Amino acid sequence: MDLTGKVALVTGGASGIGAAAARRLAAAGARVAIADRVQAPFADELGGLALTGDVADPECMPAHVAAVEEAFGRLDVVLLNAGVTAGQSGVADLDLEAYRRIVGVNVDHVVFGLTAAVPALRRAGGGQVVATASLAGLVAMPGDALYTMTKHAVVGYVRSAAPMLATDGIRVNAVCPGFADTPLIARAKARFADFPLLTAEDVATAIESVLERGEPGECWFVQPGRDPAPYGFRGVPGPRGAPRPPDVDWSDH
């Protein structure tokens, strides 16, 4: 992967998957802005930019994008990686504050991030956006319904947004890792004692593969011991004899 002359923005970049991906992007030649709630301690060593803020705040991602363009003059790659868990099932119980938090970080941040990045990517002549989803965005995850809901939302958003931006030279994808040994599962790590876990580097490798070879709208699964690859979604049967539904330009509505 050669990103010489390119500029990347990574959210949730101070640790875990985000930190591994930021280092990988910098090694490929990109200038990297690392955004998180706390300042990334290694941003200076990468020659990058450390940004802080709450990505669930509607004003945060536009401010991050503006800061990146001011510092580096352009934006080419965006990794929307920040994420949290709910800490509750969301079925038999519901902590409203925690519910709002997981939706804000896992869903709103992806929407705010993409819409903030698109104008900058267009000014750069195109670019790439990768959202970190999860296997929980592809299959049911009993016991963690809220997290599953948010990651399904990310997958659906990516698949729907990608065709709309492909004509602008902007490629939108998702990576969908299985359980990874990162701070996100730290409190529950004992439950995975006998279960193979991904490393942050495994997921960074998958992100690199998506940036190199991904097609618009693909959602790549990442599992221990397997090469990352696009997930094959099954088509939904349509009405018998019905033509393909038309593409709708909602800007006219």
Side-chain angles (χ1 to χ4, degrees):
M1 183 170 64
D2 183 5
L3 296 178
T4 303
K6 303 294 186 180
V7 174
L9 169 62
V10 179
T11 66
S15 64
I17 292 167
R23 293 181 186 278
R24 194 73 64 94
L25 294 167
R31 289 170 291 175
V32 184
I34 304 165
D36 212 311
R37 297 195 76 180
V38 298
Q39 187 163 323
F42 57 89
D44 287 343
E45 107 187 33
L46 299 183
L49 175 68
L51 301 170
T52 57
D54 182 356
V55 292
D57 182 339
E59 297 181 1
C60 182
M61 290 306 300
H64 283 348
V65 169
V68 172
E69 284 198 296
E70 181 178 354
F72 299 130
R74 60 186 296 129
L75 180 62
D76 304 278
V77 177
V78 181
L79 175 56
L80 299 172
N81 171 74
V84 296
T85 57
Q88 59 177 321
S89 72
V91 177
D93 61 329
L94 185 65
D95 179 323
L96 185 58
E97 184 177 351
Y99 169 70
R100 296 296 185 200
R101 181 63 186 162
I102 192 172
V103 172
V105 175
N106 291 9
V107 180
D108 293 349
H109 139 252
V110 174
V111 177
F112 299 157
L114 182 63
T115 56
V118 164
L121 295 173
R122 284 176 173 156
R123 285 190 286 271
Q128 295 171 266
V129 179
V130 179
T132 302
S134 168
L135 283 188
L138 303 176
V139 298
M141 194 72 70
D144 211 341
L146 293 181
Y147 184 79
T148 301
M149 177 195 74
T150 63
K151 294 306 183 178
H152 269 70
V154 171
V155 166
Y157 184 64
V158 163
R159 296 182 70 203
S160 299
M164 302 171 65
L165 295 173
T167 55
D168 291 324
I170 300 171
R171 177 151 48 88
V172 183
N173 296 103
V175 289
C176 301
F179 295 113
D181 188 2
T182 69
L184 198 64
I185 68 163
R187 288 183 296 177
K189 192 172 179 180
R191 294 167 49 194
F192 300 94
D194 299 320
F195 193 85
L197 295 176
L198 294 162
T199 67
E201 290 296 332
D202 292 331
V203 185
T205 296
I207 291 169
E208 187 171 347
S209 296
V210 171
L211 290 173
E212 288 185 298
R213 308 194 306 275
E215 294 294 329
E218 288 180 341
C219 300
W220 286 47
F221 67 85
V222 193
Q223 284 279 57
R226 296 181 180 275
D227 291 334
Y231 182 71
F233 292 91
R234 295 182 62 185
V236 177
R240 290 187 183 277
R244 182 182 181 278
D247 293 326
V248 178
D249 182 357
W250 292 104
S251 64
D252 294 334
H253 294 261

